[in-house]
Amino acid sequence: MMNPNRVAAGTRKSGSASKRLSEPHGIFVDVNLDLYVADCANQRVQLFRLGESNGITVAGSKSVNPTITLRRPSGIVLDADKYLFIVDQNNNRIVGSSLNGFRCLVGCYGVDSQSNQLSSPYSLSFDHSGNMFVFDRWNARIQKILWIKDSFTPSFNQPRFCSTATWNSNGITFANRSIVGQEPGAIFVNTNNTIYVVNQENNTIVMWQEENVNPTKIIHGNFTEPQSLFVTSNGDIYIDDGEKNSRVQKWVAETNTFVTVMNVNSSCWGLFVDIYDTLYCSMPDHDRVVKRSLNDPVMNSNRVAAGTGINGYDWTRLDSPRGIFVDVNLDLYVADCYNNRVQLFQPGRSYGITVAGGTSPNPTITLRCPSGIVLDAGKYLFIADQNNYRIVRSSLNGFRCLVGCYGEGLQSNQLNRPFSLSLDRSGNMFVTDTSNHRIQKFQYFEESCGKFRMIE
């Protein structure tokens, strides 16, 4: 006689409590008999450990740690390292977890039938080579996505900090005006701890290799008044040259030469290259962010990533955008300076979500012309709050001031219109203290977190 069925998860009654489910779809059971459930109508993935009736939210709505926004997840696969692959059905994409959190893997360019798009995907599976097969339901097809063995490694540092992380409030002047010129703007610290700063006064890029106090290289080029730069993992440098020459240039490390990679009609006050080699340019003079695939052979292929080109305060508009950051999910964060807020634009959406300042949905912090943004491994924001003369950070406990918390000034614990910041691999913070004509280094207090862990 066949044994009667037993309940593995859920209570037979729909709900969002930890022991309940609402329209469960795909499931996965690992070797420990842990049960993962795509809790579709609750917009989450639940983990039910063996013998436990209460589930733990491991992805989506109200998860224990910040993860990713899901819309009707329908399929789940767990790999050998216990990382999740989720079919995010109504976001028309496949997402995956890693040490760095969740990111979009496939279908990251909106809903449609192009080869890089999906429409209501329902399930997925892998072959023995790691290639992914996806049931692309509304496109009535099965898509095969080849695994690329050389996985993405960011060129910048993204430490993981605790919510109580603290930095020395007294900065050390790393470089003064004699080295970085008047009103330095852009700074970038790569994973080798090489520091790059733009000197607008003599139109050079100044470099310091790890632990060097004096510059180790100065790059001269045919660019004028550059406002921003971005460095990729191979050492290539993207630099703004829009003010006079209407372009973004790339310094090719291998050949020590410059090439034009984007045509623009004004300065780019923020530059970023995402994991798919798309270059973004933030244009304050035109109140928008534009982007271009670096793999596109057509040079004049810029597309609007955020903003309408007309300044304004509604969710589709920007007013003098400055620094930008694009995470592994292709979420675009914009320092919307004159609107005193930071906006988040998710892939394929023209409207932004206010995540700091302005009229954010949750109480955050008052900003005055934010100009620089960095996201750490926990997806917490570091913001250069330019006209409040400080650097602030978000955490589970909300926003707080980190450095420059003692008003405008020239003292070691003060800043004057800081424009941008970058973190080294030890968590130390480098800030362009623009109106003080210097670069300030603020030491991270490792003991403030007890245990500090970098993401490899």
Side-chain angles (χ1 to χ4, degrees):
M1 180 179 177
M2 188 175 294
N3 292 327
N5 296 340
R6 291 173 295 156
V7 174
T11 63
R12 297 190 179 93
K13 186 176 181 180
S14 176
S16 61
S18 61
K19 63 173 61 177
R20 293 187 176 176
L21 299 168
S22 184
E23 299 181 29
H25 283 220
I27 56 176
F28 190 97
V29 183
D30 69 13
V31 293
N32 299 314
L33 301 186
D34 289 338
L35 167 63
Y36 294 80
V37 182
D39 191 9
C40 183
N42 279 325
Q43 329 293 348
R44 66 187 182 183
V45 173
Q46 293 291 90
L47 163 61
F48 292 87
R49 298 198 185 279
L50 180 63
E52 297 287 335
S53 61
N54 289 305
I56 302 166
T57 303
V58 292
S61 178
K62 298 181 180 178
S63 55
V64 178
N65 299 309
T67 53
I68 194 168
T69 301
L70 301 175
R71 292 175 62 210
R72 296 189 67 82
S74 56
I76 318 169
V77 169
L78 211 66
D79 71 9
D81 294 316
K82 302 198 74 170
Y83 292 123
L84 281 168
F85 293 77
I86 304 170
V87 181
D88 190 10
Q89 186 178 189
N90 282 13
N91 278 324
N92 306 292
R93 63 183 181 176
I94 310 298
V95 299
S97 67
S98 70
L99 279 175
N100 297 322
F102 280 82
R103 65 186 176 98
C104 183
L105 302 175
V106 180
C108 308
Y109 296 94
V111 55
D112 211 330
S113 59
Q114 300 300 312
S115 61
N116 62 353
Q117 295 174 313
L118 299 170
S119 183
S120 192
Y122 188 76
S123 59
L124 80 154
S125 193
F126 290 93
D127 66 16
H128 63 84
S129 299
N131 302 311
M132 186 189 305
F133 292 78
V134 178
F135 174 28
D136 189 14
R137 185 168 52 167
W138 287 357
N139 282 325
R141 64 188 183 183
I142 306 295
Q143 289 290 88
K144 178 181 178 181
I145 297 96
L146 298 177
W147 177 49
I148 301 174
K149 294 183 179 180
D150 297 325
S151 55
F152 168 75
T153 302
S155 58
F156 47 87
N157 299 292
Q158 283 191 291
R160 185 179 298 277
F161 301 107
C162 69
S163 61
T164 59
T166 304
W167 283 257
N168 191 335
S169 60
N170 292 301
I172 300 166
T173 299
F174 177 78
N176 59 25
R177 183 172 179 173
S178 67
I179 298 172
V180 296
Q182 183 176 0
E183 297 194 341
I187 188 169
F188 192 100
V189 184
N190 73 6
T191 53
N192 294 324
N193 274 3
T194 300
I195 300 165
Y196 304 77
V197 176
V198 169
N199 184 324
Q200 296 183 73
E201 213 169 3
N202 59 18
N203 299 313
T204 58
I205 303 168
V206 187
M207 294 171 55
W208 293 259
Q209 265 142 358
E210 184 175 11
E211 297 181 359
N212 278 281
V213 176
N214 299 313
T216 54
K217 188 179 182 71
I218 297 177
I219 300 172
H220 298 264
N222 185 23
F223 46 81
T224 305
E225 298 178 16
Q227 297 289 343
S228 58
L229 84 167
F230 187 93
V231 184
T232 51
S233 296
N234 62 358
D236 292 348
I237 303 171
Y238 293 80
I239 187 160
D240 164 52
D241 188 23
E243 181 68 24
K244 297 286 179 64
N245 296 316
S246 303
R247 64 189 177 183
V248 176
Q249 293 198 68
K250 178 174 78 169
W251 179 75
V252 184
E254 186 176 356
T255 60
N256 194 26
T257 56
F258 284 90
V259 295
T260 298
V261 290
M262 181 185 249
N263 292 324
V264 291
N265 53 3
S266 73
S267 289
C268 299
W269 285 46
L271 286 174
F272 203 96
V273 179
D274 73 18
I275 62 173
Y276 294 107
D277 286 334
T278 298
L279 173 63
Y280 296 73
C281 159
S282 174
M283 307 170 74
D285 293 342
H286 295 276
D287 304 300
R288 64 185 176 186
V289 179
V290 297
K291 63 182 180 179
R292 166 181 185 267
S293 171
L294 295 170
N295 299 315
D296 192 333
V298 179
M299 181 64 70
N300 296 317
S301 57
N302 295 349
R303 294 171 291 149
V304 175
T308 64
I310 301 172
N311 66 19
Y313 194 69
D314 68 39
W315 291 355
T316 63
R317 296 187 181 185
L318 300 168
D319 194 349
S320 193
R322 306 289 168 94
I324 52 178
F325 191 98
V326 184
D327 69 13
V328 292
N329 299 311
L330 303 185
D331 289 338
L332 167 63
Y333 294 81
V334 182
D336 190 11
C337 176
Y338 287 174
N339 282 327
N340 301 311
R341 65 187 181 184
V342 173
Q343 294 292 89
L344 162 61
F345 292 86
Q346 295 174 321
R349 297 182 183 175
S350 61
Y351 61 88
I353 301 166
T354 303
V355 293
T359 55
S360 54
N362 301 309
T364 53
I365 195 167
T366 300
L367 302 175
R368 291 177 61 211
C369 193
S371 54
I373 317 170
V374 168
L375 212 66
D376 71 12
K379 299 198 75 171
Y380 294 121
L381 283 167
F382 290 71
I383 304 170
D385 188 11
Q386 188 176 38
N387 287 355
N388 278 322
Y389 317 109
R390 64 184 179 176
I391 307 298
V392 298
R393 177 192 178 229
S394 66
S395 72
L396 284 172
N397 301 319
F399 280 83
R400 63 188 176 93
C401 182
L402 298 180
V403 299
C405 310
Y406 298 93
E408 172 190 5
L410 188 59
Q411 301 302 311
S412 62
N413 63 353
Q414 294 177 312
L415 298 170
N416 191 351
R417 296 182 63 249
F419 182 78
S420 63
L421 73 145
S422 194
L423 300 167
D424 71 14
R425 65 182 178 212
S426 298
N428 302 311
M429 187 191 312
F430 290 78
V431 179
T432 55
D433 189 12
T434 302
S435 291
N436 283 327
H437 317 295
R438 65 186 182 183
I439 306 297
Q440 291 291 89
K441 177 183 178 180
F442 295 92
Q443 182 184 3
Y444 167 65
F445 285 147
E446 185 174 339
E447 59 273 19
S448 65
C449 279
K451 181 181 179 181
F452 172 76
R453 183 162 65 93
M454 288 295 298
I455 297 303
E456 299 295 336

